[in-house]
Amino acid sequence: MRLLLLAAIASSIGATTTHAHENGVPLNSVCQVSGDTLSSDSLQKLYQHIDLLSVFDLKKWRESYIYKNRTQPSDQNKQILIYIEERLKVIK
């Protein structure tokens, strides 16, 4: 009985997690920037992509770039974080 209940809970969590990620953009697909490696064109594309994100995704990206600025500090990562925070101000 406990195993059946555990399986039901696990499948329900998996279904809600899958549904939550269907509509959102995967964080890792664009968010993997190491150091100052993006060209200005790529940086503009990233900014355009950030402009299309929902408030929920922007908050996730913000947290990601806060962490990234601690672990891989670079001017580019700081600029991206500032852009995300400014975008959050506009949306709220």
Side-chain angles (χ1 to χ4, degrees):
M1 183 68 171
R2 289 182 190 171
L3 184 58
L4 182 61
L5 181 60
L6 183 61
I9 291 172
S11 67
S12 115
I13 290 172
T16 57
T17 304
T18 302
H19 178 68
H21 291 289
E22 283 176 1
N23 297 332
V25 177
L27 184 62
N28 295 335
S29 67
V30 180
C31 199
Q32 298 207 1
V33 178
S34 59
D36 291 325
T37 58
L38 285 179
S39 68
S40 62
D41 290 339
S42 297
L43 193 57
Q44 289 303 315
K45 287 182 183 179
L46 180 66
Y47 287 157
Q48 290 172 354
H49 183 77
I50 290 170
D51 289 341
L52 299 175
L53 294 176
S54 67
V55 174
F56 178 74
D57 289 330
L58 279 172
K59 289 180 180 180
K60 290 189 329 186
W61 276 55
R62 180 179 175 271
E63 292 300 320
S64 174
Y65 271 94
I66 288 172
Y67 176 76
K68 193 173 285 194
N69 277 310
R70 280 191 226 135
T71 59
Q72 303 169 357
S74 72
D75 289 334
Q76 192 172 52
N77 285 342
K78 289 176 189 174
Q79 291 301 317
I80 294 169
L81 178 60
I82 290 169
Y83 189 83
I84 291 169
E85 288 176 342
E86 291 299 318
R87 184 74 183 137
L88 273 169
K89 289 178 187 176
V90 170
I91 289 179
K92 288 183 179 182

